[in-house]
Amino acid sequence: MKLAGLAFAGPAAAAQILEAAAAEVMEFTQQAEATSLGSGTLDHLDLAVTEFNHAYSLKPPKAVFDAVLDYRRKVDRFLKDDHTHRQERDLRAFAGWLSELLAWLAHDLGNARTGLAFATDAFIQGRQAGHGQLCAWAMDAAASINLYEQRPAKAREAALKGLSEAPAGHPLTMRLHAQAARAAAADAEGFTTAFQTAEDAYRLLPPRSPRRFGMDVAPLADYALTSYPATSFIWLGQAEQARQHAEHAFATYEAAPAASWSPSREAIARIDLALAHAQLGDPDDAVALGHQALASARVVDSVRSRAGDLTTFLTRRYPRQAAVEGLRERLAAAVDAARPALTAATPSGA
C-alpha cells in the first residue's frame, strides 16, 4: 500500500516511502541470510560423512551404527534451527547420506525394517536436496535389503526407481541394472535380458570413474558384474555358470585396493562358490569354503543369511555328512553372538 501511494505522493513523501522500503528490503536480506549454523558446521559434516564411509567395512557395524545415528540426529536438529535455503539443501544432502549408510548398517545388523526405513529417508532427503545420485544410492540399498528379505519384486522396483535418478555413464547405473537382473533371477523371469543390459552399461563406463567420499566407485561396478550373477546363477540352478562367476568375483575381491576392500562381500563370494561346488557334487569343498566365509573379519547379517542358504542346501543334499553338521553349529553360534548387537542397534520407533 505504501509503494502504491508513490503515484499520488509529492516529492518529499515519495522519498520518505522509498527510504522506508530500503530499510524493509534490508530486513528481507538479513532474514534470507539468518542462520544459527556455525561457520565450520557444514565442513565438519562433510568430513564426518567421509570418515564414516571409510569406516563402514573396517569397523564393527554396531559401533559405526551408533556413531552415524548420533550424527543423523544432530543434522535433524540443525534442520529445525535457523538456516539459509542453500544451507538447507546441504543439510538435507548430509541427512540423506547418513541415512543411506544407516540403511546398510541396519541391514548388516539384521534389521531389514530399520534398513528400509533409512533407505526411504535417504531417498526423500535426496529429493528435497535435488540430489539425484543420492536418491539412486538409497534405492541401491533398498534393492539389496529387499532381495535378502526374499522380496524380488520390491527389489526390482527399487532398482528401477534408482535408475530413474542415476546419472548416465556412472558405475552406479550399471550396478542398479545388475540389481534388477539379480531380482529377475530370484523370480526366475527376465534374467538374461536384464543381465545383458547390465553388461552393456558396464562396457559404456568412461575410462575415469567418479569418486564417492574420496573413494573410487568403479570397483562397485566390478563387484556387481561378478558377484551378482554368481548369486543369480545359483538361484537359477546353473551351477557351472555360478562357479565361474563366483571364482571371478572372489579374484576381483582379492585384487581390490585396500581402500575398497570389503570382507563381507568377499565372504559372500566364498559362499556363492561353496553353493556352486555343492550343486556340482563336491560337499567337502563347499563346507571348507563355508567355514572360510564364517571366519571373515566382518560376518554381517547378509553373510549369515547366505551361509544359512548353504547349510540348508547341504543338509538336504548330503544329510549324512558329519562335516555339514559342524558348519551348521558354527553358523548357529555366529547367529547367537549377533543377537545382542541387533537388539541394541534398533532405534526406538524405527
Side-chain angles (χ1 to χ4, degrees), residues 266-296:
E266 186 176 309
I268 289 172
R270 289 183 192 274
I271 294 171
D272 281 333
L273 188 55
L275 278 161
H277 278 287
Q279 289 179 339
L280 290 167
D282 187 358
D284 292 337
D285 277 355
V287 169
L289 286 161
H291 279 293
Q292 290 170 20
L294 291 175
S296 169

Side-chain angles (χ1 to χ4, degrees), residues 152 178 180-196 227-243 245 272 275-276 279 306 309 313 317:
R182 189 165 58 154
D187 258 345
E189 183 178 337
F191 168 75
T192 302
T193 300
F195 184 50
Q196 182 63 57
S227 182
Y228 288 3
T231 303
S232 299
F233 283 119
I234 285 166
W235 289 341
L236 292 168
Q238 299 179 31
E240 182 55 32
Q241 287 275 66
R243 183 189 65 77
H245 280 86
D272 281 333
L275 278 161
Q279 289 179 339
R306 295 305 311 287
D309 293 342
F313 181 83
R317 181 70 68 89

Side-chain angles (χ1 to χ4, degrees), residues 46 52 85 109 130 151 164 178-179 189 237 240 293 295:
D46 186 45
F52 286 142
H85 180 67
L109 290 163
R151 294 194 289 252
S164 70
Q179 290 276 36
E189 183 178 337
E240 182 55 32

Side-chain angles (χ1 to χ4, degrees), residues 160-203:
L160 295 178
K161 190 174 180 180
L163 281 167
S164 70
E165 301 281 353
H170 194 286
L172 174 58
T173 299
M174 179 266 137
R175 183 177 168 87
L176 285 163
H177 279 301
Q179 290 276 36
R182 189 165 58 154
D187 258 345
E189 183 178 337
F191 168 75
T192 302
T193 300
F195 184 50
Q196 182 63 57
T197 302
E199 289 183 312
D200 291 343
Y202 185 82
R203 283 191 287 269

Side-chain angles (χ1 to χ4, degrees), residues 318-348:
Y318 309 100
R320 296 179 180 83
Q321 290 274 352
V324 174
E325 184 58 30
L327 183 61
R328 281 169 54 93
E329 290 174 359
R330 183 168 188 171
L331 174 59
V335 171
D336 287 343
R339 283 192 179 120
L342 170 60
T343 302
T346 306
S348 59

